[in-house]
Amino acid sequence: MHQKYFLEQVKTKSIELGFDELGITDLKNFEFNSVKIKEFIDNNYHGEMYWMKDKIEIRSDPKNIWNEAKSAIVLGINYGPESNPLNDLKKVKRGYISIYSRRKDYHKIIKSKLKVLARYIQKIEPSKVKVFVDTAPLMEKPLASAAGLGWQGKHTNLVSRNYGSWLFIGVILTNIYFRNKKKIKSNCGTCSKCIDVCPTKAIIKPYTLDARRCISYLTIEHKTHIQKDFRIKIGNRIFGCDDCLAVCPWNKFAKKYSDIKLSYIKKLDMPNLKIFLSFSENDFIIYFIGTPIKRLGYNRFMRNVLIAVANSKDLSLIDDVLKKLDSRNEFIRAMAVWALFCLSKSRFLLEKKKRLEAEEFYYVRQEWFNGEYS
Ligand code: B12
Ligand code: SF4
């Protein structure tokens, strides 16, 4: 079938399924990205995301993931928010969950749509296909950029002329060969808003993110202790961060998000920190079932909640924080000590007298013992 006619049909079907953007690319010319992704790993910017390093050879070139693949059909789904999420950062008694995760897990929703589209493609053009969203060792942003969906902005995410920075990416690899569409050049120009706004200065230079400093990484991927400087800058964010996306001037062209199946789960929209502090492990599982937050696990979730509580300066939370000093998990305990310190110095000193000696875990002792606290 002629490429143009084939694509018209696939595009129509993709819109019917709720996709907002579609582009195609061959799998040539990713040498630049291969070099950059290796630099990223060599500099340890991946932090504890060891899965990036382990699969670096496959990840560094889209051809490596499946030897029969010849082209990629790249899809975008808009998830632009109704209002500016930066305003939510002022609501310090509430927990900020990033915009992409205030809804059912996008992986499942997009993957099922991709599978339907892939079957449709096979019906109109006998071929082999494989579908990907996020989790495979495949460079989705460079692919989306090569397919003409937009360009990688200085924050490293894909920016679209139609949807700004708010676009999920899904990929269908196929053994059909498509001629490459012309790649869109970067339209960031002299703008540096995303670099300037980042609270932890994670975008260390244009187009380069040190994930170890990124609040999205710290609250979602980082499994252990979070250092003090970052804790203060994390503010009320308990899962992910949107600052670099939210300031992007290209968002003014973003159309409102439309697909009903990706709609918000209302209870994830700026929930009260007090409710979360009282959560047991079981409450956590029930509350977050079917959302991306569930994969954090209870311990990391509570660690994050306690950091937000520390930043809230809400004294009515002290009693709930005290209960967390008895947690079996050392990272929760450490952040409970920190939260208590931030909320009440006198109560902190009282509890320190009672608890420091019996504490064995290094990071918790540091929180009790840190010279400047005593
Ligand atoms: C690992 C990962 C993360 C890590 C690391 C992020 C990163 N920037 O690498 C962490 C946990 C921090 C993260 C955070 C987020 N993520 Co994430 N993440 C991924 C994942 C799994 C891999 C990304 C990757 O390969 N990184 C390695 C780096 C080296 O690659 P890169 O970012 O493409 O960097 C390239 C550029 O820097 C470029 N480059 C370097 N120098 C120069 C110079 C010039 C001039 C140019 C043009 C390019 C250039 O070369 C590099 C290699 O290609 C992808 C899914 C996937 N399989 O691709 C999702 C993905 C990138 N994440 C996504 C999202 C939504 C987010 C968050 C917005 C979530 C949130 N709200 O908290 C944040 C955004 C933070 C940010 N500014 O990046 C979406 C992005 C959609 C989009 N529109 O781009 C993806 C594509 C998932 C999806 N399927 O939708 N994520
Ligand atoms: S905020 Fe500015 S520099 Fe950053 S991605 Fe958007 S246009 Fe590019």
Side-chain angles (χ1 to χ4, degrees):
M1 189 185 296
H2 191 272
Q3 179 170 317
K4 190 167 165 252
Y5 181 59
F6 169 80
L7 280 173
E8 272 168 15
Q9 291 195 58
V10 178
K11 175 101 190 170
T12 307
K13 183 71 182 175
S14 76
I15 293 168
E16 195 185 293
L17 287 168
F19 289 107
D20 297 294
E21 290 277 20
L22 180 146
I24 47 151
T25 177
D26 60 35
L27 303 181
K28 298 171 186 165
N29 303 322
F30 287 92
E31 293 79 9
F32 173 77
N33 300 100
S34 302
V35 172
K36 290 293 171 191
I37 209 158
K38 282 182 179 142
E39 269 176 31
F40 180 86
I41 299 293
D42 289 346
N43 286 315
N44 283 321
Y45 295 154
H46 61 292
E48 288 180 358
M49 296 184 289
Y50 303 115
W51 42 270
M52 292 194 84
K53 188 175 181 174
D54 294 345
K55 299 254 169 78
I56 182 67
E57 284 313 319
I58 305 177
R59 193 178 288 273
S60 62
D61 191 322
K63 286 191 291 293
N64 295 347
I65 201 161
W66 176 34
N67 59 12
E68 290 180 58
K70 292 203 173 64
S71 317
I73 301 167
V74 187
L75 288 305
I77 289 201
N78 170 29
Y79 69 97
E82 291 289 327
S83 56
N84 188 343
L86 293 177
N87 294 331
D88 287 349
L89 299 175
K90 295 175 202 145
K91 300 171 189 162
V92 293
K93 294 183 183 179
R94 295 174 176 273
Y96 183 95
I97 293 174
S98 62
I99 298 299
Y100 90 89
S101 37
R102 294 184 194 181
R103 65 191 79 241
K104 286 189 198 153
D105 195 334
Y106 79 92
H107 297 91
K108 286 188 192 143
I109 293 169
I110 297 182
K111 198 160 219 169
S112 64
K113 287 174 189 287
L114 287 173
K115 281 184 181 163
V116 177
L117 190 62
R119 278 198 292 275
Y120 177 78
I121 290 169
Q122 287 179 306
K123 212 166 85 187
I124 59 171
E125 182 77 44
S127 54
K128 291 185 183 171
V129 288
K130 284 187 196 285
V131 301
F132 304 89
V133 193
D134 190 42
T135 49
L138 186 70
M139 289 189 277
E140 292 174 346
K141 291 178 284 180
L143 274 172
S145 164
L149 265 62
W151 66 95
Q152 276 188 263
K154 290 180 188 171
H155 52 30
T156 79
N157 274 8
L158 188 89
V159 185
S160 141
R161 278 183 185 279
N162 297 327
Y163 302 102
S165 291
W166 308 107
L167 208 64
F168 289 124
I169 300 172
V171 178
I172 301 178
L173 290 184
T174 161
N175 65 343
I176 310 171
Y177 179 78
F178 297 116
R179 281 186 314 279
N180 202 2
K181 248 188 85 175
K182 208 170 168 229
K183 192 178 163 169
I184 300 176
K185 66 164 184 37
S186 168
N187 283 302
C188 287
T190 55
C191 174
S192 63
K193 281 178 184 284
C194 52
I195 300 175
D196 303 336
V197 78
C198 178
T200 49
K201 301 290 161 233
I203 307 166
I204 49 171
K205 58 182 178 187
Y207 312 101
T208 305
L209 181 95
D210 181 348
R212 293 170 302 180
R213 304 187 65 83
C214 175
I215 292 176
S216 179
Y217 164 83
L218 289 166
T219 54
I220 301 175
E221 299 290 342
H222 184 76
K223 296 188 172 63
T224 51
H225 194 62
I226 297 180
Q227 68 189 65
K228 192 172 131 194
D229 279 3
F230 290 145
R231 281 179 229 158
I232 295 163
K233 286 169 180 154
I234 281 172
N236 63 343
R237 300 171 189 83
I238 57 172
F239 190 87
C241 177
D242 294 309
D243 293 19
C244 64
L245 309 185
V247 291
C248 183
W250 287 93
N251 290 341
K252 64 172 173 272
F253 301 111
K255 296 176 186 127
K256 288 278 172 283
Y257 141 81
S258 54
D259 189 340
I260 196 80
K261 287 197 188 119
L262 277 171
S263 62
Y264 264 63
I265 299 176
K266 204 172 173 353
K267 65 180 180 182
L268 302 183
D269 205 335
M270 299 307 292
N272 211 306
L273 287 172
K274 193 170 175 61
I275 298 174
F276 283 166
L277 259 186
S278 69
F279 268 16
S280 67
E281 204 154 346
N282 209 27
D283 295 333
F284 167 80
I285 294 168
I286 293 167
Y287 196 88
F288 290 114
I289 202 150
T291 77
I293 299 136
K294 190 170 161 259
R295 86 182 165 93
L296 254 192
Y298 176 76
N299 294 339
R300 257 185 285 169
F301 165 75
M302 195 51 78
R303 174 201 66 182
N304 295 350
V305 168
L306 283 160
I307 292 173
V309 165
N311 292 327
S312 76
K313 303 282 183 274
D314 182 352
L315 302 188
S316 74
L317 299 178
I318 291 177
D319 284 347
D320 301 282
V321 170
L322 286 170
K323 290 181 196 144
K324 298 295 167 205
L325 293 175
D326 295 321
S327 169
R328 273 177 297 145
N329 181 274
E330 54 269 34
F331 299 112
I332 294 183
R333 240 168 29 245
M335 286 309 94
V337 177
W338 164 251
L340 185 61
F341 173 76
C342 294
L343 298 182
S344 164
K345 305 277 182 293
S346 55
R347 192 61 201 256
F348 169 86
L349 290 171
L350 201 75
E351 294 299 324
K352 178 179 174 178
K353 270 197 196 123
K354 285 197 267 177
R355 295 169 186 266
L356 175 61
E357 208 176 332
E359 181 59 61
E360 286 175 357
F361 184 68
Y362 172 79
Y363 287 117
V364 191
R365 284 186 72 80
Q366 284 296 304
E367 294 303 320
W368 283 126
F369 206 58
N370 195 330
E372 69 175 277
Y373 300 169
S374 42

